Structures are given as structure tokens and as C-alpha cells.
Amino acid sequence: MLLRMAVCARLCGVGQSRRCRRRQRHSQADQDSDSEMDMDEEEEEERVVGKIKDEPDGSSVSVSRSSSCHNSCAAGPSGAGGLASRNSASTGPPHPQSLLDLPPELLVEIFASLPGTALPNLALVCKKFRQILNTETIWRRRCTEEFGMRDDLRKMEIVGMSSRDLYVKLLHPYRHILGLWQPDIGPYGGLLNVVVDGLFIIGWMYLPPHDPRVEDPMRRRPLFRIHMWEKNKATVECMYGHKGPHKGDIQTVKKDEFSTKCNQTDHHRMPGGRQEEFRTWLEEEWGRTLEDIFHEHMQELILMKFIYTSQYDNCLTYRRIYLPPCLPSDLLQPGLFKGTYGSHGLEIIMLSFHGSKAKATKLTGDPNVPAGQLTLEIDLNHPVRLPDLEHQRSMEELSRLVLGVHEEAQRSPQAGDAPSEAAEADPPQGAEGSDSATPAGAEDMEPGAAACSAAPEPQPFVLPLGVMARNEVYPRTCKMW
């Protein structure tokens, strides 16, 4: 053992290690015998070292021994110990100690997977991170994953716009106004959908189809748009009127609320004056002229709406709309629907479920039941089982059936609150004497007709005798939950 320690110390270029000296002190029982042993060890050591120097093939042996010695002794930088250290260091690549040690291409992949809101703080870490964050790949991926942009990014190369500028100056600053909103237009309300459309952010005002075609898709017209075509900065334009886009402004008032302002309202005026503006508005809003509307009461309602809504000149405040969640127990998928409201035309309502209640809230309204108020409430605890088709044709039979269900609901201890006066005052009418609501069906909006769970068997339905349908497209079946 002592011989091995001595050889180890000589090969490593240093004296005996602390461990070797400690063992040596414990074994000094007889000084004379130790002296003789030391002489033998020195002679043996000289023979081993000489053999290593004389034999070239012994290099591998010296490295092996010095390496094992390095693990038990304090080896120095010279001699066979230094050779062993260099050999072990070259066996593999060094392990990175921080993100700064990673190659740039790996950092690009890591940064591209982070949300865009975290990247500005990351750029403050160091100069290397700031330089890597100028890579287009990172911002192109953020535009795609967060805002759904794909093919539109190719158009940016034509106009010389970078993905980073698009994200930092347009998409990120205006991300809070994306989604569904209701404008504050007195009792009339409305439905605005702000979306990323190509290289623009556009606010589309959705309108129900022209009465009575409730099954037709929604109509839309742009109210404002935001782009970066000029001076490489975001520009807001008002799209209201018929003279093309002009200067506008958008302000975020508070959470879930923003406002728009037109800076050139003269673009909203038409050469023919208010009469020409009314004629154009009537054709867009109702799909007909004033001469086609024979009912005087209906003409008054339409004229009152034009006077009230046109005074805003697209300077409006919007409040966010949250669509209700869909539960397995829901009769229909909640969301946006189109409803027929007689002389008030077609309007947009939002259907939601609250336990045993189904409620319909107006998004577009009228002075009778304004936007934002309840227009219909249904007690799902008391479904109506219709009789056969022959008895459905009798109005008296249906009246007795409805009155019987109403009395039962009044006697039931589980009956909820009675429908509100607003709900009874202005029910949606698809045909005279029958209710009707059709899913909104807009391309960018949530559908409202698909069932969330297994629906019950539909019941056949027919209009009673003496009731005239406004159109032939009315439901021939209904569901009882």
C-alpha cells in the first residue's frame, strides 16, 4: 500500500496526499522497520519510473495509473496527472451552465414558444437576448398562434412590413378590443365583432337579415379598421358613410369597454341631404323603400330609429359581450339567435340557461323592449306535451292545454318566478300566434342551433286553423324537455 502511495505521489508530481500521510502516521510502530521499508520502496519506485520512461507503450499504463491516483490524491497540473485531466475533458461536450451557453438556433425555438407578452421583459436580460428577439421566426409564430395569421404574413413581404412590427405596433396594442361588443345606441343596441382580417383589424357591425327571411345568413358592414400601411405605425380609420375610409380614433375607456370617434363626420353626409341618407339607410336596414311599407305605425317606428341612430355619427361606446357556456343539460346550445318581432323586424337575441330557466336577452332592441333587457323567460320544469295534429288545429284545444300547464305551474311549490312584464310585452314572433327564433349563423360567430346533448324525440307541430304564417318556412316539429 505504501509503495503504491509513493509511486502515486511521484507520478502526480507532488508529495504524499493528506490521506497518505495520515495512514503513514498510524503505521509507524517500529522506526527501524519503516526505514528499511522506505529504502525498498524508493528502489522499487525508481525501477517503475524508469520502466515507464524507457517503454513507449507504457504511456497508456502511466495514464491509467495517474488517473486512478488523481481520484485519491491531489494531482498537479504537470506530468501524467495533467494528461489525464485533458483526456477526461475531451470525452464529451461541456454542459451549458445557463441559457446564454445555448446555441442561437435553440434560443430562437425557445423564445418562439413563449407568449408575446413575455418577450419585452426577456429583451431586457442581456444584449444577446435582445439581438435574438429580432428574429422574424419568433414574431411570425406569435402572429400565427395568437391571432391566427397564416397566409396573410406573405403579403407583408410585398409591403416591406416585418412580423415584429405587425405584432408590436398593431396586434398586441389592440388585442383588448377583439371579440363581440354591444354598442350603446339607446334602446336599439347592436352587435359588433372585432376580428383580425388579413393585415387589418376590422370592426364589423352584424345585422339580421331582411324581414321576414329569418333563415338567411347575417349581414355585416365595417364601422372601423386599423392598419399599418402608412408610416409604419397603426392608423385608425372610420368606415361609416359612403365616401370611403377617413380619419378616426379608438380609446380604451376601461376594462371591457372602448369607444370610437370619427374625426371627419362630413364624410357621412350625402349630396342629396337627409332625405337621400334616409332612403339609403332604409334600403340597407330593411331592404325596401318607404313606399313598400304600408303600415303607418311601422313607418313611424322606422323613421324614429333613423333619426335616433344617425345622430351618433359612429362616435359610440361599446361594452363586451360574453357568450354563455354550454352545459350537457341544456336543451339547445346557448348563444346568438335571430328572432322575428313583427313590425319591429328581425332582431338579435342571446339565449342562456340558468338552472331550470331559459332566458333570451336582446342585443338589438326597440323602444318597447330595449337592447340589454329580457325578452323571453321559459320555465323548463313544466314542458308542454302537444296533442295530435288534429287537435293542434283547434285554437280552443290549445288554449285549454296552455291554461292547464299554467295552473299546474302556479300550484307547484317548485315553480320559479313568473315571467317578467318585459318578457310578456314583446315576445318574438315568427308567425302570428307562434314563437320563432333562428340561430344567428354568422361565419365568425358562435352558432346557436346545435344541441349540446342527446335531444328528446321531436313532436309534430302544425299551425292552428285561422293562423296565417308570415312565410312558409316555420318549424314542423318541436321538442319537449
Side-chain angles (χ1 to χ4, degrees):
M1 175 64 69
L2 294 177
L3 173 62
R4 189 174 303 167
M5 285 189 238
V7 173
C8 176
R10 179 63 61 86
L11 291 176
C12 292
V14 295
Q16 294 177 340
S17 67
R18 184 179 305 170
R19 182 180 177 187
C20 297
R21 291 194 298 269
R22 186 168 57 250
R23 290 183 178 180
Q24 186 177 8
R25 284 196 302 268
H26 288 301
S27 63
Q28 289 179 350
D30 189 357
Q31 294 294 337
D32 296 337
S33 59
D34 285 346
S35 301
E36 294 176 359
M37 185 176 294
D38 289 341
M39 294 293 295
D40 295 338
E41 288 174 353
E42 290 177 2
E43 293 177 358
E44 181 65 21
E45 177 186 336
E46 291 175 359
R47 287 196 297 269
V48 172
V49 174
K51 184 177 180 181
I52 292 175
K53 292 180 179 180
D54 295 338
E55 297 180 4
D57 296 335
S59 58
S60 60
V61 178
S62 66
V63 171
S64 176
R65 290 183 179 179
S66 62
S67 299
S68 62
C69 176
H70 180 76
N71 294 331
S72 60
C73 304
S78 60
L83 179 61
S85 299
R86 291 192 298 270
N87 184 71
S88 61
S90 61
T91 56
H95 295 290
Q97 301 299 318
S98 67
L99 286 175
L100 291 172
D101 299 332
L102 295 177
E105 59 272 13
L106 188 55
L107 289 176
V108 168
E109 183 65 23
I110 294 175
F111 294 169
S113 63
L114 298 176
T117 53
L119 299 183
N121 289 335
L122 192 61
L124 300 176
V125 174
C126 62
K127 182 178 179 180
K128 180 178 180 179
F129 284 8
R130 186 166 60 252
Q131 292 175 342
I132 291 177
L133 285 173
N134 289 326
T135 306
E136 275 292 283
T137 304
I138 298 175
W139 301 101
R140 188 180 300 114
R141 184 168 169 182
R142 288 298 90 222
C143 293
T144 301
E145 293 184 359
E146 296 182 22
F147 299 98
M149 301 187 67
R150 288 178 176 82
D151 296 338
D152 301 316
L153 295 175
R154 301 177 183 176
K155 303 176 184 177
M156 296 167 45
E157 300 178 358
I158 302 176
V159 298
M161 186 188 310
S162 67
S163 300
R164 184 180 185 277
D165 288 339
L166 182 69
Y167 186 96
V168 173
K169 299 179 181 180
L170 178 64
L171 300 179
H172 185 264
Y174 291 97
R175 69 191 186 281
H176 298 300
I177 69 171
L178 299 178
L180 297 176
W181 303 83
Q182 185 176 36
D184 185 9
I185 315 180
Y188 299 102
L191 179 62
L192 180 79
N193 191 21
V194 184
V195 297
V196 177
D197 192 337
L199 299 182
F200 297 88
I201 292 179
I202 301 182
W204 294 100
M205 178 66 81
Y206 277 90
L207 305 171
H210 293 136
D211 186 59
R213 299 187 296 272
V214 67
E215 70 280 356
D216 287 355
M218 296 282 285
R219 299 175 294 125
R220 66 177 187 175
R221 66 165 179 255
L223 291 189
F224 63 85
R225 71 179 185 182
I226 314 172
H227 62 82
M228 289 182 56
W229 296 116
E230 301 174 1
K231 300 180 181 179
N232 201 25
K233 67 176 183 179
T235 301
V236 179
E237 293 180 332
C238 175
M239 304 290 289
Y240 191 75
H242 300 273
K243 294 185 179 180
H246 46 282
K247 293 182 180 180
D249 188 25
I250 290 180
Q251 296 179 347
T252 301
V253 180
K254 56 184 179 180
K255 186 178 184 297
D256 293 338
E257 186 175 312
F258 78 95
S259 62
T260 58
K261 180 182 178 181
C262 177
N263 297 329
Q264 294 177 290
T265 55
D266 56 302
H267 280 63
H268 305 168
R269 309 283 80 87
M270 300 187 70
R274 296 288 282 176
Q275 185 175 0
E276 181 65 23
E277 292 173 12
F278 174 67
R279 183 180 292 106
T280 303
W281 174 87
L282 185 62
E283 186 175 351
E284 292 179 350
E285 190 83 8
W286 291 83
R288 64 185 77 176
T289 62
L290 193 62
E291 291 76 14
D292 298 330
I293 303 173
F294 302 104
H295 299 288
E296 184 177 350
H297 174 64
M298 190 173 180
Q299 292 179 353
E300 293 177 356
L301 291 174
I302 293 174
L303 183 59
M304 182 171 58
K305 182 177 182 179
F306 168 74
I307 295 174
Y308 192 96
T309 57
S310 61
Q311 65 180 342
Y312 285 91
D313 271 332
N314 205 26
C315 299
L316 299 168
T317 299
Y318 299 86
R319 295 178 177 86
R320 184 176 293 279
I321 297 173
Y322 289 97
L323 294 178
C326 179
L327 301 177
S329 58
D330 292 343
L331 175 62
L332 297 174
Q333 179 175 335
L336 305 181
F337 285 76
K338 300 167 290 184
T340 58
Y341 281 78
S343 59
H344 297 284
L346 302 185
E347 294 183 358
I348 305 173
I349 64 173
M350 182 169 67
L351 176 68
S352 59
F353 293 90
H354 308 267
S356 61
K357 299 286 186 179
K359 298 182 179 181
T361 305
K362 278 193 169 184
L363 296 184
T364 60
D366 51 67
N368 190 20
V369 178
Q373 292 193 13
L374 195 67
T375 181
L376 183 65
E377 186 175 66
I378 306 170
D379 186 356
L380 299 176
N381 286 328
H382 301 278
V384 177
R385 183 178 296 276
L386 294 177
D388 54 49
L389 292 178
E390 189 61 31
H391 288 84
Q392 287 184 33
R393 298 182 186 276
S394 171
M395 183 65 72
E396 293 77 10
E397 184 72 22
L398 291 178
S399 297
R400 285 195 298 268
L401 176 64
V402 173
L403 289 176
V405 174
H406 180 70
E407 293 176 359
E408 180 186 353
Q410 294 293 329
R411 293 192 302 266
S412 175
Q414 298 179 353
D417 298 332
S420 63
E421 296 180 1
E424 296 178 349
D426 190 15
Q429 301 173 355
E432 296 183 18
S434 65
D435 295 345
S436 174
T438 302
E443 305 160 8
D444 305 347
M445 295 152 54
E446 295 290 336
C452 290
S453 60
E457 290 294 329
Q459 302 180 84
F461 172 76
V462 66
L463 291 177
L465 294 176
V467 175
M468 301 296 295
R470 302 180 66 204
N471 54 39
E472 294 300 323
V473 184
Y474 68 90
R476 297 298 198 259
T477 60
C478 61
K479 297 177 182 178
M480 181 190 71
W481 197 251

